[in-house]
Amino acid sequence: MDSRQLRSLRRRSRLRVDRQWLLSLTAIVVLVGLLEVFTPAQASTVAPATSLASPRGFSDTMKSIRPIRGQRSPAHGILLKDLTTGRTLYEFQADRRLSPASLTKIMSALVILEYGNLEDAVTVSRTAATARKIRLRLRAGQVFRLEDLLKAMLMTSANDACLAAVEHVAGAEERFVLLMNTKANGLGLVDTHFTNACGFDDPAHYTTAEDLATLSEIALQHPIFKAFVREERDIMYAVNGGRFYYLRNTNRLLGRLPGVEGVKTGFTSKAGRCLIAKVSQNGNELLLVLLHTSRRWNTAASLINFGLQALEDGAGAMP
């Protein structure tokens, strides 16, 4: 091969390399563009600097970002409140009537605490044992203390435990629901109405972030309720037969975000993912209500951190 042929071969080789490099660079640019278009942060008004949704649950460091005007809200209903002063730090459609899913069980718990005896032995009915959705798989005929059933419905959101407790207190779920609505009216929750005790979707079963904040504040004044919703794990025993059930709180913020003290999670196809969180840090107390959100933990962490930072900075209510 003469020198002219060798130079031509080298030139073609460099051209192939340059072409491959250009194609690789183009692919990278396109990929970055797609990531920018479909990044979840653009679909929320609260963009956390560090995501909570790591494979192992949560990241070690989280920063709060002020919600950005003009972007889509990360939830259908939001209320972030300073419990010390009663100020609203952030809200979005807090008066909109929405399905509350298992946040309903906060009211159910209050009615049980008011009308029930926690030392009672409760026999699980066939109806309760076959409850839909989340359940502990309790068996008809098993006997539990009412206190344990209350703990199970608040910690794990177990519908079979909820129905067993409700039937014991009122004789039937329908009568129990009447007590729930009567209490809601007495508390001034004018945008709240219940059709069942567990939180199943129904057009006439609704509440608002504002009403749920009021309800949660009242519930947290009860020492038993307050103690149960902040427990991460427990064990429930059947009085007859010795069978036990492991209870793990569905609130993933507990033990992972400093100062979280409850309160309740919820989910149905209509209600989406819901959360009420109570946080105490450095003498500050926050209450957050999120209704129908797709990024529950990231949104909650960002809003909580924003609220705590606003209180530390002495900021007023958000516009």
Side-chain angles (χ1 to χ4, degrees), residues 163-186:
L163 281 177
V166 161
E167 290 175 343
H168 175 78
V169 169
E173 185 181 10
E174 292 78 11
R175 287 198 288 271
F176 189 89
V177 171
L178 288 176
L179 295 176
M180 294 171 68
N181 286 319
T182 299
K183 192 169 187 65
N185 291 333

Side-chain angles (χ1 to χ4, degrees), residues 26-45:
T26 303
I28 291 171
V29 170
V30 170
L31 179 60
V32 170
L34 288 172
L35 288 173
E36 289 178 349
V37 169
F38 292 106
T39 178
Q42 290 190 356
S44 84
T45 63

Side-chain angles (χ1 to χ4, degrees), residues 5-315:
Q5 290 174 322
L6 184 59
R7 283 194 302 273
S8 177
L9 181 60
R10 286 174 178 172
R11 193 180 304 114
R12 286 196 299 270
S13 177
R14 282 197 302 270
L15 183 59
R16 282 196 301 270
V17 171
D18 290 344
R19 212 174 266 159
Q20 289 173 355
W21 180 85
L22 182 59
L23 288 172
S24 298
L25 180 61
T26 303
I28 291 171
V29 170
V30 170
L31 179 60
V32 170
L34 288 172
L35 288 173
E36 289 178 349
V37 169
F38 292 106
T39 178
Q42 290 190 356
S44 84
T45 63
V46 185
T50 307
S51 173
L52 282 176
S54 63
R56 300 183 64 180
F58 293 89
S59 57
D60 294 330
T61 59
M62 293 168 288
K63 296 180 180 179
S64 59
I65 304 297
R66 185 185 181 93
I68 302 171
R69 291 182 178 181
Q71 289 191 351
R72 191 174 64 188
S73 173
H76 290 187
I78 305 173
L79 184 65
L80 178 64
K81 188 175 183 180
D82 174 12
L83 291 179
T84 303
T85 64
R87 290 183 303 163
T88 295
L89 301 177
Y90 180 73
E91 66 176 313
F92 176 77
Q93 298 190 129
D95 59 351
R96 179 181 177 185
R97 292 180 175 181
L98 296 165
S99 298
S102 284
L103 303 186
T104 300
K105 293 184 175 77
I106 297 174
M107 177 61 86
S108 299
L110 282 182
V111 173
I112 290 171
L113 287 168
E114 182 174 349
Y115 292 95
N117 181 349
L118 296 186
E119 296 301 321
D120 281 357
V122 180
T123 301
V124 178
S125 70
R126 290 186 178 275
T127 302
T130 55
R132 293 177 289 158
K133 306 295 181 179
I134 297 176
R135 56 196 178 103
L136 291 173
R137 298 187 181 278
L138 305 182
R139 300 174 181 176
Q142 283 184 312
V143 180
F144 297 91
R145 292 169 64 239
L146 181 59
E147 180 178 357
D148 288 336
L149 294 174
L150 176 63
K151 184 180 294 187
M153 60 185 270
L154 288 175
M155 290 181 63
T156 70
S157 211
N159 292 323
D160 45 4
C162 179
L163 281 177
V166 161
E167 290 175 343
H168 175 78
V169 169
E173 185 181 10
E174 292 78 11
R175 287 198 288 271
F176 189 89
V177 171
L178 288 176
L179 295 176
M180 294 171 68
N181 286 319
T182 299
K183 192 169 187 65
N185 291 333
L187 295 175
L189 309 181
V190 296
D191 290 308
T192 294
H193 185 265
F194 303 108
T195 62
N196 62 87
C198 295
F200 297 117
D201 290 333
D202 186 281
H205 190 93
Y206 56 81
T207 187
T208 66
E210 193 171 48
D211 278 3
L212 284 170
T214 299
L215 179 63
S216 298
E217 287 188 74
I218 294 168
L220 287 167
Q221 293 174 11
H222 199 294
I224 293 176
F225 179 93
K226 185 176 181 179
F228 284 179
V229 296
R230 66 189 300 174
E231 288 190 33
E232 293 183 53
R233 296 175 180 83
D234 208 338
I235 294 176
M236 182 176 80
Y237 292 89
V239 174
N240 58 337
R243 184 180 176 88
F244 69 91
Y245 296 84
Y246 179 68
L247 307 179
R248 183 175 182 179
N249 204 308
T250 55
N251 187 349
R252 290 175 58 195
L253 297 181
L254 283 170
R256 300 183 180 186
L257 191 65
V260 173
E261 301 174 348
V263 175
K264 189 74 187 72
T265 65
F267 172 77
T268 66
S269 57
K270 181 180 178 182
R273 302 191 183 279
C274 305
L275 173 70
I276 300 177
K278 161 70 166 33
V279 185
S280 298
Q281 277 193 37
N282 302 322
N284 296 315
E285 291 190 320
L286 289 179
L287 184 69
L288 172 65
V289 181
L290 284 177
L291 294 178
H292 204 301
T293 179
S294 58
R295 304 176 70 234
R296 175 166 51 187
W297 310 119
N298 289 311
T299 301
S302 292
L303 281 166
I304 288 168
N305 280 290
F306 161 78
L308 291 170
Q309 189 62 54
L311 294 178
E312 289 295 326
D313 295 342

